Amino acid sequence: MKKIVLSILLAIGLATPTTSFADSVVGDVIVTLGSDLTEQQKQDLLKEMNVPDNVQTVTVTNEEEHKYLGDYIPKAQIGSKAISSSKIQIEKKGSGLEVQTNNINWVTDEMYLNALMTAGVKDANVYVTAPFEVSGTAALTGLIKAYEVSTDKAIPEDVKQVANQELVETAKLGDKIGDENASALIAKVKEQMSENGVPKNDQELREMIEQAAKDLQINLSEDDINNLILLFNNMINVNINWDEVGNQLDKAKDKISKFLESEEGQSFLQKLKEFFSSIIDAIASFFQ
């Protein structure tokens, strides 16, 4: 729960189109399965996700992965099999988007959140998993596909491409500056766009990115900045409701505050204090 709530704050994203699972009701569950899973693996994952026998399933193929990720990731990195799978449970309007992962070693919770929000998915609990450690790229393709099936409404191809580009660029940047830093930086720039408006040109966008990095004490290379300029320009060119970006941020802050004030949050903070205290004691004992 702690990581999920933190992820929401780090991954404030876009919300377009604004419709969210219009043809579904609260509690509805949809499962996406990689097409290259064995029958036993499918059954094990369905059991792990604790879904009913008649749950609606959507299959994701490796060809679909290459279609949406091929422009951003080398073919070898995408691989030849679609393995990662997921569960989406529809929540009440305004509840926000939460993500939890298992056996996913490249795409983080924050990255899924950002990409899903960019694609217009919200008000749902998402669980991404695999029978063994995988990159997790197939899951995003499946989640977007499941959203289309659920709403019976196609997501524009340019929105899909931007969501996948964002996922990949954030993951690549995370390899350099750390996953949390990368997700926080993406969220920070989006927040600035929501509050101050879309930059008028590349220079203004560059300044916004550099200021966000400075605020977060993150060092970016020139290549990093250029890649982010390209990414955010592509986002700007997609139909985005920037007011909704601000609303998503407010929801995230509310969730953080409520969690920290809750019994679980207080317990978490106490354990955190005890953890750091034990480290300090261990260091002191070492020098003594």
Side-chain angles (χ1 to χ4, degrees):
M1 178 64 181
K2 285 77 69 177
K3 183 177 181 182
I4 294 174
V5 175
L6 177 60
S7 297
I8 296 172
L9 180 61
L10 291 176
I12 298 305
L14 314 180
T16 180
T18 56
T19 304
S20 178
F21 295 96
D23 297 331
S24 300
V25 297
V26 174
D28 276 359
V29 175
I30 304 172
V31 167
T32 72
L33 295 172
S35 63
D36 294 296
L37 293 167
T38 66
E39 190 58 37
Q40 184 60 54
Q41 288 171 336
K42 290 179 182 178
Q43 296 305 315
D44 291 342
L45 290 181
L46 290 171
K47 182 178 180 180
E48 176 189 331
M49 291 186 278
N50 191 29
V51 296
D53 294 336
N54 61 344
V55 67
Q56 182 178 6
T57 62
V58 176
T59 301
V60 183
T61 67
N62 185 245
E63 287 75 19
E64 288 172 308
E65 284 190 79
H66 283 271
K67 176 182 178 181
Y68 292 110
L69 293 165
D71 290 340
Y72 316 115
I73 308 178
K75 291 183 179 180
Q77 188 171 355
I78 300 174
S80 59
K81 293 184 177 181
I83 298 296
S84 53
S85 304
S86 63
K87 176 181 76 171
I88 305 175
Q89 180 167 321
I90 310 307
E91 301 296 337
K92 65 180 180 180
K93 184 178 179 180
S95 62
L97 181 65
E98 297 184 359
V99 176
Q100 185 178 5
T101 59
N102 175 55
N103 275 339
I104 306 299
N105 61 19
W106 196 55
V107 181
T108 67
D109 299 10
E110 296 88 350
M111 296 171 195
Y112 280 121
L113 278 166
N114 257 326
L116 288 170
M117 288 179 180
T118 296
V121 179
K122 60 181 180 178
D123 299 333
N125 282 323
V126 174
Y127 180 74
V128 184
T129 187
F132 47 83
E133 286 201 356
V134 296
S135 67
T137 53
L140 177 63
T141 303
L143 289 167
I144 293 177
K145 187 176 181 180
Y147 175 80
E148 291 184 303
V149 171
S150 176
T151 60
D152 195 26
K153 180 178 180 181
I155 297 174
E157 286 297 312
D158 55 357
V159 175
K160 293 180 185 178
Q161 288 293 338
V162 168
N164 280 282
Q165 181 186 7
E166 179 182 354
L167 182 81
V168 173
E169 291 302 328
T170 310
K172 287 180 179 178
L173 187 60
D175 290 338
K176 298 179 181 179
I177 66 174
D179 294 335
E180 289 188 359
N181 282 339
S183 294
L185 179 63
I186 297 296
K188 183 74 172 179
V189 176
K190 289 179 177 179
E191 178 185 6
Q192 291 300 312
M193 288 189 181
S194 172
E195 294 178 351
N196 304 320
V198 174
K200 297 177 182 178
N201 51 53
D202 283 0
Q203 182 57 37
E204 288 190 5
L205 180 54
R206 171 182 287 271
E207 292 172 359
M208 185 177 287
I209 292 170
E210 290 177 343
Q211 185 60 52
K214 182 179 179 181
D215 292 343
L216 295 170
Q217 298 182 325
I218 294 172
N219 294 320
L220 297 175
S221 68
E222 186 64 22
D223 284 344
D224 293 335
I225 294 174
N226 289 334
N227 287 336
L228 289 172
I229 289 174
L230 177 62
L231 171 63
F232 283 110
N233 270 329
N234 286 341
M235 289 183 182
I236 291 170
N237 291 332
V238 176
N239 183 26
I240 295 170
N241 182 348
W242 288 102
D243 289 336
E244 186 64 29
V245 177
N247 292 336
Q248 290 292 320
L249 176 59
D250 290 339
K251 290 177 185 177
K253 289 179 179 178
D254 288 343
K255 285 199 173 189
I256 292 291
S257 298
K258 289 178 181 177
F259 170 70
L260 293 179
E261 292 170 0
S262 68
E263 182 177 344
E264 183 183 3
Q266 290 297 310
S267 175
F268 167 67
L269 290 176
Q270 181 60 38
K271 290 179 181 178
L272 195 62
K273 291 178 183 177
E274 294 172 356
F275 172 73
F276 283 111
S277 177
S278 65
I279 291 179
I280 292 172
D281 291 341
I283 294 174
S285 299
F286 174 79
F287 284 106
Q288 289 173 359

